[in-house]
C-alpha cells in the first residue's frame, strides 16, 4: 500500500488532497510524502508514523537518546552526513541506525561493508535527526572529515602550503563556510563570532542576545585560515591584508522554517594574536517588514508615538544600547508614515535594510560623506521626513536640529540608557539648551528581553523574596517561565520582545532642559506629569502577561 493510500485510509488527507499531490508529484518528480508535507497537507510526524506502520519500523525521537561515543565512531562523519543517518546502538553484532529516509535502502549495503555489522534501521524525523547529527558530529562535520583525510593529526596542519586563493575557493571549504552560515540563521543567531586561539578555532552564535558555542568538530582549527579567506572573498575584502581591520558585506539566501529568506551579513575582520577574528552581524530582510504592533509596543507608548511620528516637524529620538532594536523601530515608524505624499530620505552607516519608497544614503567617510554632510545635502532634495542613523557629535546634532526647525520631521538614534538621558547627552555634546528644548518632541528608549518559549511554557507560584520591590503579582497569583526544551536549546526562551519607554517633552520638561537639569530630575517631573512610561513598568507588565520572566526583565534592564 502506497503512503498516499495509507494516509487516505487513516483520514489524515482527503481524496482531493491526494489527487492534487499526485498532480504535483508528476510535475516535479518528488516523492509523494515530501510533496504532501511541502503543500502543508500533512505534518511530518503523521507521515513518519504512517511510514513506520507501513514498513514495520520503530519510530524514535533522537533528542531523547544517549548514545555511546564508541557507537558514534563506528561511522565516519562524511558517511553520516551523506546518507543522513546516525548509529544509535549496537546489540549482538547488529548496528541500529536512525534514518529519516527508509526508502533509500541501498545505504544498508554500504553501512554493512563499512562496519561489518548487520544493519537495522529505525525511523526518525528529518529535522530532529539533523540536529542530532550536528550536535554529535559538529556543523560541517562531513566536509571536515573529507578535508582531513590523509592529513597528519597536528594543530597547525591544514591547507597552509597551497595557494591561499585556491584553498579559499576549494569546493569543500565553500561548503564548510556555507554550512556554518546556514546553521547560524537556522538557529536565529543575530551575530556569528569566529575567534582564533592558540591551537583552536571557536565559533559562537549570539542567540536571543546570549552567546552560545556552536557544535563544531575539533578539526575545524586546521582550516581557520581557509575559512577566513573564504569569508573575505564572499565580502569582497582583500585576502592578502592581514595587518589591519576590514569591513564588508555578504548577501545570502537560506531556507528557514520551511520558507526561503534573504539575509545580509555585515562582516568585520580584525587581526588578533593568533590570527584574524571575524564577527558577522546577521540582518534578516524580513525584520524590516515588522510593524510597531509586532514589536510589542504597549498602547501607553504606541498611541502617543503614533501622534509624534505624524507631526510635521521636530526631532524624535530612539535610544538604547547596540543590538536593542533601534533600527527596526525606526524602520517600522517610517513604514507607518511613508506614502506617495511623503518624501523620506535617510543617511545611514551602514544601510541595514532596503525600504521601498525610502531614499537611502550610505555614509562614506573616505570621501567626506559624513552624517552631518549628508544631512546638509539632502535638505536641498525637498524631503518631508529625514532619518539620520546616529547622532554621534555636535555637528550632526546641530544640523539635525536646524533641519527640524526649518520644517522637517527628523528621526535619529542616541546611545543612552534611558529616555531622560537623551537631553543631557545632547547638552554634553555642546548643543545649546534652547536648541534642544525647542526641537526635541519625544524620546523613545528600548531594550529587548527574551520571550518565554511557547513549547515549554509553564505557570508557577513565585516567592515574594524573588520579586522586585513594588511588583504586584497578578490576581491569579501565578507567573510563567520556560521549563527548557529542545526547541529553545533548554534555555526556556525562544525569540525576543521589545520593552519600551516614552518621554514626551512637556513645557515643564523643556524648562528643565533650559536650566540644564539632570536626567533624574527630568524623569521625576515627567513621571509626576504623566508624560513618562518607564522601561521597568513595561517590562514587568510583560512579565505579568506571561511574555517574559521577572528575572529576565531585571537582567536586561539593570545591566
Amino acid at each position: 500500500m502506497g503512503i498516499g493510500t495509507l494516509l487516505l485510509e487513516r483520514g489524515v488527507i482527503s481524496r482531493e488532497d491526494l489527487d492534487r499531490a499526485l498532480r504535483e508529484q508528476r510535475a516535479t518528480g518528488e516523492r509523494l510524502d515530501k510533496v504532501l508535507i511541502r503543500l502543508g497537507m500533512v505534518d511530518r510526524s503523521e507521515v513518519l508514523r504512517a511510514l513506520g506502520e507501513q514498513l514495520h519500523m520503530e519510530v524514535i525521537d533522537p533528542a531523547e537518546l544517549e548514545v555511546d561515543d564508541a557507537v558514534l565512531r563506528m561511522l565516519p562523519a562524511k558517511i553520516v552526513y551523506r546518507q543522513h543517518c546516525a548509529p544509535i546502538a549496537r546489540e549482538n553484532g547488529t548496528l541500529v541506525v536512525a534514518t529519516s529516509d527508509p526508502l533509500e535502502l541501498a545505504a544498508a549495503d554500504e553501512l554493512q561493508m563499512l562496519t561489518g555489522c548487520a544493519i537495522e534501521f529505525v525511523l526518525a524525523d528529518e529535522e530532529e535527526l539533523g540536529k542530532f547529527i550536528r550536535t554529535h558530529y559538529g556543523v560541517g562535520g562531513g566536509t571536515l572529515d573529507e578535508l582531513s583525510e590523509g592529513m597528519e593529526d597536528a594543530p597547525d596542519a591544514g591547507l597552509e602550503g597551497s595557494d591561499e586563493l585556491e584553498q579559499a575557493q576549494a569546493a569543500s571549504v565553500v561548503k564548510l563556510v556555507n554550512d556554518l552560515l546556514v546553521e547560524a540563521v537556522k538557529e536565529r543567531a543575530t551575530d556569528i563570532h569566529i575567534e582564533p586561539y592558540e591551537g583552536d578555532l571557536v565559533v559562537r552564535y549570539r542567540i536571543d542576545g546570549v552567546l552560545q558555542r556552536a557544535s563544531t568538530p575539533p578539526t575545524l582549527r586546521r582550516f581557520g585560515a581557509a575559512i577566513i579567506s573564504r569569508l573575505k572573498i564572499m565580502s569582497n575584502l582583500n585576502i592578502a591584508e592581514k595587518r589591519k581591520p576590514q569591513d564588508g558585506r555578504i548577501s545570502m539566501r537560506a531556507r528557514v522554517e520551511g520558507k526561503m529568506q534573504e539575509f545580509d551579513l555585515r562582516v568585520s575582520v580584525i587581526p588578533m594574536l593568533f590570527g584574524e577574528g571575524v564577527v558577522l552581524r546577521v540582518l534578516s530582510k524580513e525584520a524590516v517588514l515588522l510593524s510597531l504592533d509586532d514589536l510589542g509596543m504597549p498602547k501607553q507608548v504606541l498611541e502617543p508615538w503614533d501622534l509624534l511620528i505624524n507631526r510635521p516637524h521636530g526631532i524624535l529620538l530612539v535610544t538604547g544600547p547596540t543590538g536593542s532594536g533601534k533600527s527596526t523601530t525606526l524602520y517600522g515608524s517610517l513604514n507607518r508614515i511613508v506614502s506617495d505624499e511623503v518624501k523620506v530620505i535617510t543617511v545611514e552607516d551602514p544601510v541595514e535594510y532596503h525600504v521601498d519608497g525610502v531614499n537611502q544614503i550610505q555614509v562614506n567617510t573616505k570621501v567626506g560623506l559624513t552624517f552631518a554632510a549628508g544631512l546638509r545635502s539632502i535638505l536641498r532634495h525637498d524631503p518631508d521626513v529625514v532619518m539620520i542613523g546616529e547622532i554621534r557629535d555636535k555637528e550632526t546634532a546641530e544640523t539635525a536640529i536646524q533641519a527640524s526647525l526649518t520644517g522637517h520631521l527628523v528621526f535619529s538614534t542616541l546611545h543612552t540608557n534611558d529616555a531622560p538621558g537623551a537631553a543631557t547627552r545632547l547638552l554634553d555634546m555642546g548643543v545649546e539648551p534652547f536648541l534642544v528644548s525647542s526641537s526635541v518632541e519625544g524620546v523613545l528608549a528600548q531594550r529587548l528581553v527574551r520571550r518565554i518559549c511557547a513549547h515549554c511554557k509553564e505557570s508557577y507560584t513565585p516567592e515574594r523574596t524573588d520579586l522586585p520591590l513594588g511588583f504586584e503579582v497578578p490576581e491569579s497569583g501565578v507567573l510563567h517561565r520556560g521549563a527548557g526544551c529542545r526547541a529553545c536549546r533548554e534555555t526556556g526562551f525562544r525569540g525576543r520582545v521589545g520593552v519600551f519607554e516614552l518621554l514626551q517633552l512637556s513645557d515643564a520638561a523643556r524648562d528643565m532642559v533650559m536650566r540644564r537639569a539632570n536626567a533624574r530630575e527630568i524623569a521625576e517631573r515627567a513621571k509626576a506629569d504623566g508624560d513618562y512610561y518607564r522601561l521597568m513598568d513595561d517590562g514587568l507588565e510583560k512579565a505579568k502577561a506571561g511574555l517574559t520572566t521577572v528575572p529576565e526583565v531585571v537582567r536586561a534592564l539593570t545591566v
Side-chain angles (χ1 to χ4, degrees), residues 36 138 290 351 424 490 547:
L36 289 165
L290 293 176
V351 175
T424 54
E490 305 299 331
L547 293 175

Side-chain angles (χ1 to χ4, degrees), residues 273-295:
L273 189 59
F274 297 105
E276 291 177 288
V278 183
V279 173
L280 301 97
R281 166 65 61 88
V282 182
L283 302 169
S284 169
K285 293 190 176 181
E286 302 244 328
V288 73
L289 304 176
L290 293 176
S291 69
L292 296 181
D293 305 287
D294 296 330
L295 300 177

Side-chain angles (χ1 to χ4, degrees), residues 471-490:
F471 178 74
E472 296 181 6
V473 179
E475 290 183 8
S476 62
V478 300
L479 294 175
H480 294 85
R481 63 189 174 194
C485 65
R486 59 191 170 202
C488 61
R489 298 169 66 107
E490 305 299 331

Side-chain angles (χ1 to χ4, degrees), residues 168-441:
Q169 293 177 321
S172 296
V173 174
V174 170
K175 185 177 185 303
L176 175 60
V177 171
N178 288 345
D179 287 345
L180 289 170
L181 299 183
V182 170
E183 176 71 6
V185 298
K186 283 185 176 179
E187 292 289 344
R188 302 173 298 105
T190 54
D191 298 88
I192 307 166
H193 294 243
I194 300 174
E195 304 164 336
Y197 296 99
E198 188 174 15
D200 198 6
L201 185 73
V202 174
V203 178
R204 295 194 289 173
Y205 300 147
R206 188 177 295 280
I207 301 171
D208 294 335
V210 179
L211 275 173
Q212 301 179 30
R213 189 159 179 165
S215 298
T216 54
T219 50
L220 186 72
R221 67 185 184 274
R222 299 175 173 180
F223 308 101
I227 290 169
I228 290 166
S229 294
R230 174 61 192 164
L231 289 170
K232 285 182 175 180
I233 290 172
M234 293 173 72
S235 46
N236 295 314
L237 301 179
N238 181 0
I239 66 169
E241 179 56 72
K242 301 177 185 292
R243 300 166 300 170
K244 62 183 182 181
Q246 298 186 72
D247 294 315
R249 193 175 194 134
I250 299 172
S251 293
M252 65 174 283
R253 288 165 57 85
R255 186 172 296 279
V256 180
E257 297 180 350
K259 64 178 180 178
M260 194 63 72
Q261 296 184 30
E262 294 187 359
F263 297 88
D264 273 343
L265 310 180
R266 279 166 37 193
V267 184
S268 174
V269 183
I270 297 180
M272 295 185 178
L273 189 59
F274 297 105
E276 291 177 288
V278 183
V279 173
L280 301 97
R281 166 65 61 88
V282 182
L283 302 169
S284 169
K285 293 190 176 181
E286 302 244 328
V288 73
L289 304 176
L290 293 176
S291 69
L292 296 181
D293 305 287
D294 296 330
L295 300 177
M297 199 175 280
K299 69 174 185 178
Q300 297 96 319
V301 172
L302 181 58
E303 291 176 0
W305 182 250
D306 245 341
L307 295 174
L308 289 171
I309 64 177
N310 282 286
R311 290 194 176 186
H313 55 79
I315 292 183
L316 299 178
L317 298 172
V318 180
T319 74
T322 302
S324 60
K326 299 188 296 297
S327 295
T328 303
T329 298
L330 283 175
Y331 286 125
S333 301
L334 291 179
N335 274 328
R336 210 171 179 94
I337 61 175
V338 69
S339 69
D340 290 340
E341 293 77 35
V342 177
K343 176 157 185 173
V344 181
I345 306 181
T346 72
V347 188
E348 305 170 63
D349 184 24
V351 175
E352 294 186 350
Y353 302 108
H354 302 287
V355 186
D356 289 337
V358 175
N359 301 271
Q360 296 172 274
I361 299 171
Q362 169 76 52
V363 164
N364 187 348
T365 53
K366 292 179 180 177
V367 297
L369 181 55
T370 60
F371 281 120
L375 180 55
R376 283 194 298 271
S377 298
I378 64 179
L379 291 179
R380 294 191 284 273
H381 271 244
D382 187 31
D384 299 293
V385 178
V386 174
M387 186 185 95
I388 311 166
E390 183 184 346
I391 292 178
R392 297 176 178 172
D393 52 42
K394 179 182 178 182
E395 183 185 10
T396 307
E398 289 184 338
T399 309
I401 288 170
Q402 291 302 325
S404 72
L405 294 176
T406 53
H408 302 87
L409 182 63
V410 180
F411 290 91
S412 191
T413 68
L414 268 180
H415 286 288
T416 61
N417 290 329
D418 54 17
T424 54
R425 175 62 56 86
L426 292 173
L427 296 178
D428 290 342
M429 287 181 181
V431 181
E432 292 296 333
F434 74 91
L435 290 175
V436 176
S437 66
S438 59
S439 60
V440 177
E441 298 292 337

Side-chain angles (χ1 to χ4, degrees), residues 24-270:
E24 183 79 12
Q25 182 193 29
R26 285 192 289 271
T28 63
E30 285 181 271
R31 261 193 11 221
L32 183 60
D33 57 323
K34 293 187 180 294
V35 173
L36 289 165
I37 293 170
R38 178 168 59 80
L39 295 177
M41 295 175 178
V42 294
D43 187 72
R44 292 199 317 269
S45 59
E46 292 172 324
V47 172
L48 204 63
R49 285 194 296 271
L51 279 172
E53 181 181 309
Q54 182 188 27
L55 301 173
H56 306 289
M57 294 174 68
E58 181 186 356
V59 178
I60 58 104
D61 183 354
E64 297 178 354
L65 297 176
E66 291 187 11
V67 183
D68 188 82
D69 286 343
V71 173
L72 292 170
R73 287 196 298 270
M74 292 190 70
L75 288 181
K78 66 177 181 179
I79 299 297
V80 169
Y81 272 89
R82 190 174 73 217
Q83 301 288 3
H84 199 69
C85 64
I88 60 171
R90 185 180 182 183
E91 302 168 354
N92 301 323
T94 298
L95 184 65
V96 182
V97 177
T99 179
S100 61
D101 193 355
L103 303 181
E104 292 289 338
L105 297 177
D109 295 334
E110 182 180 6
L111 300 183
Q112 190 166 342
M113 287 180 59
L114 275 169
T115 61
C117 299
I119 302 298
E120 178 187 334
F121 283 114
V122 294
L123 270 177
D125 177 77
E126 185 175 5
E127 284 194 11
E128 294 301 329
L129 181 59
K131 289 179 183 177
F132 177 87
I133 291 171
R134 291 192 296 273
T135 299
H136 291 86
Y137 291 90
V139 179
T143 308
L144 284 166
D145 200 25
E146 292 178 11
L147 281 169
S148 300
E149 282 184 351
M151 290 171 49
E152 57 181 298
D153 188 17
D156 57 351
L159 302 173
E160 298 298 330
S162 59
D163 178 75
E164 191 165 7
L165 182 60
E166 287 183 10
Q167 70 182 17
Q169 293 177 321
S172 296
V173 174
V174 170
K175 185 177 185 303
L176 175 60
V177 171
N178 288 345
D179 287 345
L180 289 170
L181 299 183
V182 170
E183 176 71 6
V185 298
K186 283 185 176 179
E187 292 289 344
R188 302 173 298 105
T190 54
D191 298 88
I192 307 166
H193 294 243
I194 300 174
E195 304 164 336
Y197 296 99
E198 188 174 15
D200 198 6
L201 185 73
V202 174
V203 178
R204 295 194 289 173
Y205 300 147
R206 188 177 295 280
I207 301 171
D208 294 335
V210 179
L211 275 173
Q212 301 179 30
R213 189 159 179 165
S215 298
T216 54
T219 50
L220 186 72
R221 67 185 184 274
R222 299 175 173 180
F223 308 101
I227 290 169
I228 290 166
S229 294
R230 174 61 192 164
L231 289 170
K232 285 182 175 180
I233 290 172
M234 293 173 72
S235 46
N236 295 314
L237 301 179
N238 181 0
I239 66 169
E241 179 56 72
K242 301 177 185 292
R243 300 166 300 170
K244 62 183 182 181
Q246 298 186 72
D247 294 315
R249 193 175 194 134
I250 299 172
S251 293
M252 65 174 283
R253 288 165 57 85
R255 186 172 296 279
V256 180
E257 297 180 350
K259 64 178 180 178
M260 194 63 72
Q261 296 184 30
E262 294 187 359
F263 297 88
D264 273 343
L265 310 180
R266 279 166 37 193
V267 184
S268 174
V269 183
I270 297 180

